[in-house]
Amino acid sequence: MNQNEVKEFQENFTCFNLKTVKENLPNDPFLKSEYSYTLSTGYLTSKSVIIYSNDNSANDFVDKLFFDLSQRYKELYLFIIDIKQVFELKKIDTLVKFKNIFPYANILLVKNFDDIEKHPELSKIIEDLFFSLKSNSFLLITSSKKIDEIKNIDRIKLFLQKSKIYNLIKEKKNENNFINFVDFISQVKKEAGVEEKLDEQENREEFIEKLYVWEMKGFNVENLKNVINSKDIGQIKREFEKFTENVKKLVELHKEYGLLNVKKFKAESKEIETMLFDPDRVEILREKINVLKEKINYFSFFEKESSILMNMDNFIIDSSNRHVVNKINEIINGVNVDKIVLITGSSGTGKTHILNALFNNLTDKRVIFINKDNIEQASNNFYVMKFLNESDIVLIDDLDRIYEKKEYLPIVKNILLSNIVKVITLQRKFSIDDREILDLFNRYTSYNIQPTTLYIRKNYYKNLLQKYGIKLNDIIFNFLLDYVSIPLSEIEKYFVELQKYQNNINEEIIKKVFPAGTVKKREFVKKGEYDSSKLIKEWINDTDRLYVEFEV
């Protein structure tokens, strides 16, 4: 996109058009918790969240949330589509124009979603957009109608059926219809009479009635049954009061648990959910939830270094890297997965890109992503080892660069020797100066990405030119290909600079923007006159000759 298109997109579909927001949040404890969690982490508590309201409270809430997020996290992609506004201001063409950008949102907000049934022509556009969202994208929706009541969105209904729901619609709740767990508990307590002060004169039959109500609602009442026939009415009263206090604690713990994204923690969540109606296990439940929170924060920390912009869709494949892509696809599909997969190759060949693409395809797995930017924090107090054995796979980018820092070697070695599946990128296997690690690496196949081919460079340059709205004729483009020899991993910043000369790009401008390329001259050597000593890196003793790398 050129600068004018960027400005047009920002004005129409980002927080730029939120001039003022209401400061007061809706008086709903769950929604306030959602706000606090999202503002502290940059994520929603679920991949898809829907807020229903028959007034403007839902829109006021999401406006404030997005505005505050935009102030705190400048790097987040926060995109907004207001269905009502799209039609009132005739923005359908503009929406279609930028439809390929929305899937990269960190959080995509769709306001007034129910208005879509008034305009069937928009449903297909929104449907395609939802199904194209990237793996790390979150979806936030406001609507005055429930999804099941909206017409002409059958496929989207299936897509949204697992969404977390917040209902701000003011409606009368009948006896058997509870909006959330807190309403449920309140009704049960009312039926059981436990909110009233227990009087010493209450007879045993009334206690039995209360016990029966609790049991019918699914609560564990074994302790109450053990004392219900006691001659001491005071003991029965004390047990019922203790039971009631524990139910109140269950309410608070259920709130905490309800805000957690437990998608990758099925075993833990299943265990926790067996305790949610057991007042006798409140403290155990609290401990389990706290451990689960730790695990979620732990894996979130190691996922932050990944990039949703690096995926298999925009990874250019040819003969130089096809074998590596095939191996990555095997890992994604759970086929022929070795304990260690080594990907080697020079700078700019796409090692980091393909590692990120792998991460973005492992949405249901517990993944630890380590690189030079987070290794320091991972090494502090051996933090990475805390739940390492509970991960499904470890991704390590640029291992040789990490290995240069001696202070990180103990933790890196611990990770490499662990029994977890690891996918590792590095420039050269033998740059790791550690016999034990080299012995380990030599047991597994390494996959080398060959130097970047002209086909890949040509396509990558074209993608960058399109991204920044730069137009070059064939002559200038071919000159660019011949002149520039910068690794692909470092080249984008030069295209950003080139964008400034949009209307006047020639050979001199390219020479001005890009560093001069270096052309290697081939020396003529007669057959039989090669000096093999030039191929040898170096060794300390004879044994080390086993690990000498020959560069040809």
Side-chain angles (χ1 to χ4, degrees):
M1 289 193 298
N2 58 38
Q3 289 295 334
N4 290 333
E5 287 178 327
V6 170
K7 185 177 180 181
E8 181 185 6
F9 178 78
Q10 289 175 333
E11 289 175 348
N12 285 281
F13 301 111
T14 69
C15 296
F16 274 55
N17 57 13
L18 293 177
K19 305 302 181 185
T20 59
V21 293
K22 292 189 176 180
E23 286 300 317
N24 295 327
L25 295 174
N27 190 25
D28 181 283
F30 290 104
L31 209 52
K32 288 181 178 179
S33 296
E34 179 78 37
Y35 170 85
S36 299
Y37 177 87
T38 305
L39 201 61
S40 63
T41 64
Y43 307 108
L44 299 176
T45 59
S46 177
K47 291 296 289 182
S48 177
V49 173
I50 303 174
I51 308 174
Y52 296 126
S53 73
N54 47 8
D55 54 19
N56 210 42
S57 56
N59 286 335
D60 289 343
F61 171 78
V62 296
D63 283 349
K64 176 171 173 54
L65 176 63
F66 259 49
F67 182 81
D68 291 347
L69 281 172
S70 68
Q71 300 303 303
R72 178 171 293 192
Y73 300 100
K74 303 294 186 183
E75 72 280 8
L76 285 184
Y77 294 133
L78 304 171
F79 301 156
I80 303 171
I81 300 174
D82 187 335
I83 302 294
K84 182 183 290 186
Q85 192 181 80
V86 164
F87 284 93
E88 288 178 352
L89 302 182
K90 299 180 180 180
K91 291 184 177 181
I92 295 181
D93 290 341
T94 309
L95 178 63
V96 172
K97 178 180 178 180
F98 295 109
K99 69 178 182 179
N100 292 330
I101 298 177
F102 289 105
Y104 293 98
N106 293 104
I107 304 178
L108 174 62
L109 167 59
V110 182
K111 296 168 66 175
N112 301 306
F113 181 73
D114 50 297
D115 267 34
I116 200 171
E117 68 178 2
K118 301 175 186 177
H119 310 282
E121 66 270 31
L122 186 59
S123 61
K124 183 65 171 64
I125 299 171
I126 297 298
E127 177 183 297
D128 291 342
L129 195 154
F130 281 7
F131 283 103
S132 64
L133 285 173
K134 301 304 177 183
S135 58
N136 284 6
S137 297
F138 290 82
L139 180 62
L140 180 57
I141 292 172
T142 68
S143 175
S144 62
K145 281 188 179 182
K146 295 186 178 178
I147 295 299
D148 289 339
E149 299 171 357
I150 301 174
K151 301 174 184 177
N152 303 320
I153 58 163
D154 292 339
R155 281 190 66 203
I156 299 178
K157 284 179 183 178
L158 294 174
F159 180 84
L160 297 175
Q161 65 182 358
K162 294 184 179 179
S163 301
K164 177 175 280 189
I165 304 294
Y166 295 100
N167 194 341
L168 302 181
I169 296 175
K170 298 174 183 178
E171 56 186 13
K172 186 177 180 181
K173 302 187 285 285
N174 60 50
E175 185 176 346
N176 297 315
N177 180 27
F178 301 97
I179 299 302
N180 53 49
F181 187 77
V182 178
D183 291 332
F184 173 74
I185 294 298
S186 298
Q187 185 66 19
V188 171
K189 289 194 290 186
K190 184 177 180 180
E191 291 178 13
V194 294
E195 289 185 301
E196 302 170 6
K197 186 177 180 182
L198 291 171
D199 192 276
E200 292 287 350
Q201 304 305 316
E202 286 184 299
N203 57 43
R204 193 180 313 280
E205 284 72 21
E206 289 175 321
F207 281 115
I208 291 173
E209 273 188 44
K210 294 177 174 64
L211 186 153
Y212 176 76
V213 172
W214 285 113
E215 188 172 30
M216 288 301 99
K217 297 298 183 180
F219 286 88
N220 179 5
V221 293
E222 289 304 309
N223 280 353
L224 297 183
K225 286 182 177 181
N226 290 337
V227 301
I228 197 65
N229 292 316
S230 171
K231 294 180 180 179
D232 185 355
I233 198 76
Q235 182 185 6
I236 299 175
K237 174 188 174 182
R238 287 190 295 275
E239 287 299 325
F240 268 82
E241 287 177 336
K242 178 183 175 182
F243 187 91
T244 305
E245 286 304 311
N246 284 339
V247 168
K248 291 178 182 177
K249 293 175 183 177
L250 280 180
V251 173
E252 295 304 314
L253 289 173
H254 193 281
K255 285 181 185 177
E256 289 183 37
Y257 175 70
L259 291 173
L260 302 178
N261 185 350
V262 298
K263 180 180 179 181
K264 299 181 181 181
F265 304 89
K266 293 178 182 177
E268 292 88 344
S269 60
K270 185 177 181 180
E271 184 181 16
I272 285 172
E273 285 165 12
T274 63
M275 303 181 189
L276 289 175
F277 285 82
D278 193 344
D280 297 330
R281 305 180 72 185
V282 168
E283 294 310 317
I284 298 174
L285 177 61
R286 189 190 309 279
E287 183 179 341
K288 297 285 184 186
I289 290 175
N290 286 338
V291 171
L292 179 57
K293 281 182 179 178
E294 275 192 274
K295 290 183 182 180
I296 291 172
N297 290 334
Y298 172 89
F299 284 100
S300 295
F301 167 76
F302 287 108
E303 291 173 359
K304 287 178 182 176
E305 296 302 327
S306 65
S307 169
I308 62 172
L309 300 180
M310 296 183 183
N311 52 67
M312 297 303 286
D313 295 337
N314 57 23
F315 186 75
I316 304 168
I317 304 171
D318 74 349
S319 58
S320 68
N321 56 32
R322 186 170 286 108
H323 61 299
V324 177
V325 173
N326 291 340
K327 187 61 185 178
I328 293 298
N329 284 327
E330 285 184 356
I331 297 170
I332 292 170
N333 296 317
V335 179
N336 299 327
V337 181
D338 298 323
K339 283 297 180 184
I340 292 181
V341 176
L342 289 173
I343 300 173
T344 62
S346 57
S347 176
T349 52
K351 301 186 302 297
T352 296
H353 189 131
I354 205 163
L355 204 64
N356 276 272
L358 172 60
F359 172 84
N360 289 327
N361 275 276
L362 298 175
T363 54
D364 294 327
K365 302 291 185 183
R366 302 184 190 185
V367 184
I368 294 177
F369 194 112
I370 295 174
N371 61 16
K372 60 182 176 58
D373 295 320
N374 66 9
I375 185 62
E376 181 177 356
Q377 288 174 277
S379 300
N380 289 341
N381 301 317
F382 272 47
Y383 177 66
V384 70
M385 301 303 296
K386 188 166 189 176
F387 297 113
L388 179 70
N389 290 330
E390 295 191 36
S391 64
D392 296 306
I393 188 168
V394 177
L395 310 181
I396 305 177
D397 193 27
D398 279 338
L399 176 64
D400 31 15
R401 292 188 65 183
I402 294 173
Y403 228 86
E404 291 172 358
K405 299 294 182 75
K406 300 300 181 186
E407 63 268 29
Y408 302 144
L409 297 189
I411 192 67
V412 173
K413 196 164 183 176
N414 269 276
I415 297 168
L416 295 175
L417 294 174
S418 69
N419 198 36
I420 309 298
V421 173
K422 293 167 283 289
V423 181
I424 301 165
T425 69
L426 67 169
Q427 290 198 25
R428 298 159 57 245
K429 180 169 67 173
F430 293 100
S431 62
I432 304 300
D433 186 18
D434 187 300
R435 176 57 50 77
E436 186 177 12
I437 298 303
L438 283 173
D439 284 339
L440 176 66
F441 284 176
N442 284 332
R443 296 177 206 161
Y444 300 96
T445 304
S446 61
Y447 299 83
N448 182 256
I449 302 180
Q450 296 300 312
T452 308
T453 63
L454 179 62
Y455 172 80
I456 289 180
R457 286 179 59 231
K458 187 174 182 179
N459 280 278
Y460 190 68
Y461 288 6
K462 283 183 176 179
N463 288 342
L464 289 177
L465 291 172
Q466 184 178 4
K467 179 178 180 179
Y468 293 105
I470 303 170
K471 295 181 180 179
L472 300 181
N473 61 43
D474 290 343
I475 295 174
I476 298 300
F477 181 70
N478 288 330
F479 176 79
L480 179 71
L481 281 172
D482 292 336
Y483 181 79
V484 176
S485 61
I486 303 167
L488 297 189
S489 59
E490 303 171 13
I491 201 167
E492 186 165 359
K493 61 185 178 182
Y494 297 104
F495 278 83
V496 174
E497 181 68 19
L498 186 64
Q499 188 181 31
K500 297 177 183 177
Y501 303 93
Q502 175 63 264
N503 299 321
N504 190 31
I505 298 176
N506 52 33
E507 293 181 7
E508 293 305 314
I509 294 296
I510 289 175
K511 289 179 180 179
K512 179 179 179 180
V513 170
F514 294 91
T518 55
V519 180
K520 293 182 179 179
K521 293 185 178 179
R522 242 182 126 83
E523 293 183 6
F524 177 75
V525 181
K526 293 181 180 179
K527 186 176 181 181
E529 291 185 0
Y530 286 103
D531 181 0
S532 61
S533 66
K534 292 181 180 179
L535 298 176
I536 297 173
K537 187 181 175 185
E538 67 178 35
W539 56 69
I540 299 171
N541 53 52
D542 287 344
T543 307
D544 280 336
R545 295 185 184 200
L546 294 172
Y547 298 99
V548 170
E549 180 181 16
F550 291 88
E551 299 174 340
V552 294

